[in-house]
Amino acid sequence: MFDILMYLFENYIHNESEIFVEESALTDELLKAGFNSPEIYKALDWLEQLAQLQHSDELPYLHTAPTAACRIYTGEESIKLDIQCQGFLLFLEQVGVINSTTREMVIDRAMALDHAQIALDDLKWVVLMVLLSVPGQEHAYAQMEDLIFDDPNPTLH
């Protein structure tokens, strides 16, 4: 599923292709690219749930004003997001790339991936996808891109 998300991200965001593609045409394109149907539907569902996070009453903490708070991870979250991932999210929050709302969106979408444990590089892509989906986060998205692509000596976190 993550490979499909990356394929969509790279082909529809960075190449300035038409983003609003009919789902059946998108599914056909993904099938032609070699992805299988169950994984395609999981990836499309993941993206749909990402879009719904901004409009959901199910997770009320996503609609409150951002606050500086210590994030305590559940046991399941701690298994899936190791200390390196947790430290990276804290670092991003401290430098102002994400706030508590976008952090929770990232954690929600990372937990929805079908990985037993999320690699730090995969988490960075999830952060980019979340920032891209939230209106008004263009500056944060650009900062995140700079952290990933332009820094030959990455910051320790």
Side-chain angles (χ1 to χ4, degrees):
M1 173 177 71
F2 192 74
D3 290 336
I4 296 169
L5 293 171
M6 292 303 304
Y7 176 88
L8 292 172
F9 187 76
E10 290 173 357
N11 288 295
Y12 285 89
I13 302 308
H14 290 299
N15 292 337
E16 298 180 19
S17 300
E18 181 62 38
I19 295 173
F20 301 104
V21 176
E22 192 175 308
E23 186 174 333
S24 62
L26 187 57
T27 302
D28 291 344
E29 178 185 337
L30 292 170
L31 286 169
K32 288 177 187 171
F35 298 110
N36 63 41
S37 293
E39 294 298 311
I40 291 170
Y41 293 118
K42 282 185 200 176
L44 295 177
D45 184 55
W46 189 95
L47 289 170
E48 184 177 319
Q49 289 178 19
L50 173 60
Q52 289 174 354
L53 278 179
Q54 297 174 52
H55 309 290
S56 173
D57 293 333
E58 209 173 294
L59 304 171
Y61 55 84
L62 292 178
H63 304 290
T64 59
T67 59
C70 177
R71 175 59 154 87
I72 306 298
Y73 291 85
T74 67
E76 185 180 337
E77 291 170 341
S78 293
I79 291 169
K80 202 161 194 170
L81 299 168
D82 66 12
I83 196 70
Q84 191 176 21
C85 290
Q86 293 173 32
F88 185 69
L89 290 174
L90 178 61
F91 166 74
L92 291 178
E93 205 168 352
Q94 289 174 340
V95 297
V97 173
I98 62 173
N99 56 39
S100 60
T101 301
T102 50
R103 177 197 64 216
E104 293 304 315
M105 292 175 76
V106 168
I107 292 168
D108 180 83
R109 293 297 74 214
M111 295 302 293
L113 292 174
D114 55 1
H115 292 49
Q117 189 173 33
I118 307 296
L120 181 58
D121 287 339
D122 292 348
L123 181 67
K124 290 176 182 180
W125 287 106
V126 172
V127 172
L128 279 173
M129 288 182 225
V130 167
L131 290 175
L132 185 67
S133 75
V134 178
Q137 294 295 317
E138 294 81 11
H139 180 68
Y141 178 85
Q143 284 180 287
M144 185 64 192
E145 272 192 323
D146 289 345
L147 285 172
I148 292 176
F149 300 118
D150 294 340
D151 193 359
N153 301 314
T155 306
L156 294 177
H157 48 283

